[in-house]
Amino acid sequence: MKWEDVLGRAREALKGICNLCPICDMKACASRVPGIGGIGTGSSAKNNYEALRSLRFKMKTLHDVTEPDINVELFGQKLAMPVIGAAVAGAAINFKDRMNEVDLAKAQVFGALEAGTIAMIGDGPGDLYDKTIEALKGAGKGIAIIKPRKLDEMIRRIRMAEEAGAVAVGVDVDAAGLVNMRRSGEYVGPLSLGALRKICESTKLPVIIKGIMTEEEAVMASDAGAGAIVVSNHGGRVLDDLPGTISVLPGIASKVKGRSILLADGGVRSGSDVLKFIACGADAVLVGRPVVWGAFGGGKEGVRLLYEKLADELRIAMILTSCPSIKEVSMSILQS
């Protein structure tokens, strides 16, 4: 199977949900929440895409970089690339039950492992977390992302993640107003600093805080004990008129790089997108919507093919910008 075959199958499987546009600029899927699109006008999702496109590389070809090192070590794991699967869940709500929730989670987790990286599993209304955690149990490795619920419930779910073999746990605080959760009647809300400290103190696992978009809150999260921060606007799925994530990443990196692991997401579709995020300060990136395409178009094999494609594109982009390793990537490879 080739990646092109995966896309063809995904296009059929996701008909009416995602158009798999040749250019995934998020213009065709505004207001598709629940679903795979952006909230409201879709401006935040579009801004992620446009911010990435606004960056330009300096191409360099007079050098001896032929085999760039794209390996990274995060959360005590040696990863084949600086790419992690984002927590994509809600098969019934977002994908009209066209795939079983457990099968969707397994495709993400096992596809990532077969490619030499790891994936996140998601949380949601009802028994969704009980289903996605099954995939993590079976793999014995992955990251559990939990919605910003009441503190005691979040800690209960952290215990489930620990028992399942998670290498880290996280809270997607950018889901504080997520429409899917609100409609279900289940509580989600902002996370106080006191609650964040208690969460970090409740487990020996690294705690990831996903949904940071300002330098101020990045510092607050790091000071409170967060082992990692994800610069994210939830894929443009929670609030209109937010900036593209990569546009705020350099400022955040200047405040917390080296103190907490710095991850980011928002519009990643290619290996060159990955390189731009690394250049702007991320230690690794999360990829979401393309993982959905991989899962629906080819199960765990489709997801594996996605990661292999991204890795190949990343290596080529590094060769053409004279980057010997991920550790040596900097903003100097971008046009000022």
Side-chain angles (χ1 to χ4, degrees):
M1 188 186 300
K2 297 180 180 179
W3 178 242
E4 291 73 19
D5 300 323
V6 172
L7 290 179
R9 294 180 183 184
R11 189 170 286 109
E12 287 300 313
L14 291 167
K15 188 173 291 184
I17 299 172
C18 177
N19 299 327
L20 275 82
C21 302
I23 298 177
C24 185
D25 56 11
M26 306 307 296
K27 292 180 179 178
C29 52
S31 302
R32 292 194 182 183
V33 177
I36 201 169
I39 196 76
T41 68
S43 64
S44 296
K46 293 172 193 172
N47 289 344
N48 286 341
Y49 169 83
E50 290 169 0
L52 267 170
R53 299 283 73 76
S54 70
L55 298 179
R56 301 286 186 268
F57 291 113
K58 296 176 184 176
M59 189 169 76
K60 297 182 179 180
T61 55
L62 302 178
H63 55 77
D64 58 2
V65 176
T66 58
E67 296 291 337
D69 180 5
I70 67 169
N71 296 290
V72 296
E73 186 167 341
L74 297 170
F75 309 114
Q77 308 296 309
K78 292 183 178 179
L79 306 183
M81 66 194 80
V83 184
I84 294 173
V88 179
I93 299 169
N94 294 313
F95 307 118
K96 301 181 180 179
D97 266 332
R98 295 185 190 177
M99 183 179 289
N100 177 280
E101 193 74 58
V102 176
D103 291 340
L104 176 59
K106 285 183 175 179
Q108 295 174 70
V109 172
F110 286 95
L113 288 175
E114 289 187 4
T117 187
I118 53 177
M120 297 175 169
I121 58 108
D123 187 11
D127 64 351
L128 191 152
Y129 186 74
D130 298 279
K131 294 176 179 178
T132 60
I133 204 80
E134 286 300 315
L136 199 153
K137 286 180 183 177
K141 189 182 294 186
I143 299 170
I145 300 296
I146 300 164
K147 292 285 180 277
R149 301 169 178 272
K150 297 292 186 180
L151 181 60
D152 58 347
E153 179 59 24
M154 293 174 65
I155 291 177
R156 185 183 76 82
R157 291 176 187 237
I158 288 172
R159 296 290 172 264
M160 292 172 66
E162 292 170 338
E163 293 172 6
V167 300
V169 294
V171 184
D172 52 344
V173 292
D174 47 359
L178 192 61
V179 64
N180 296 349
M181 293 295 294
R182 294 283 175 173
R183 288 177 181 175
S184 75
E186 294 186 32
Y187 173 84
V188 288
L191 195 65
S192 71
L193 280 179
L196 174 54
R197 290 191 185 96
K198 289 179 181 178
I199 289 168
C200 293
E201 292 167 357
S202 75
T203 179
K204 294 181 180 179
L205 295 176
V207 174
I208 302 167
I209 300 302
K210 175 186 170 291
I212 298 298
M213 288 290 288
T214 67
E215 296 172 21
E216 176 188 14
E217 289 207 328
V219 172
M220 290 166 65
S222 185
D223 287 347
I229 291 164
V230 185
V231 178
S232 175
N233 59 22
H234 211 89
R237 295 168 52 75
V238 290
L239 181 64
D240 244 337
D241 301 319
L242 292 172
T245 53
I246 202 166
S247 66
V248 301
L249 177 59
I252 292 174
S254 71
K255 300 295 184 181
V256 298
K257 182 83 168 179
R259 297 178 56 194
S260 299
I261 293 170
L262 189 55
L263 308 175
D265 66 19
V268 174
R269 303 291 181 266
S270 68
S272 61
D273 289 340
V274 173
L275 185 57
K276 287 178 181 180
F277 271 103
I278 301 298
C280 288
D283 294 307
V285 303
L286 309 185
V287 60
R289 288 177 177 93
V291 168
V292 174
W293 306 337
F296 275 86
K300 68 177 183 179
E301 183 181 357
V303 174
R304 174 180 60 80
L305 287 171
L306 166 67
Y307 288 117
E308 291 176 353
K309 165 188 171 290
L310 293 174
D312 287 343
E313 292 170 347
L314 175 59
R315 289 189 189 95
I316 292 170
M318 290 174 67
I319 289 171
L320 292 174
T321 52
S322 186
C323 295
S325 71
I326 294 297
K327 291 180 180 179
E328 296 173 78
V329 175
S330 72
M331 288 191 74
S332 65
I333 69 171
L334 301 174
Q335 297 284 352
S336 57

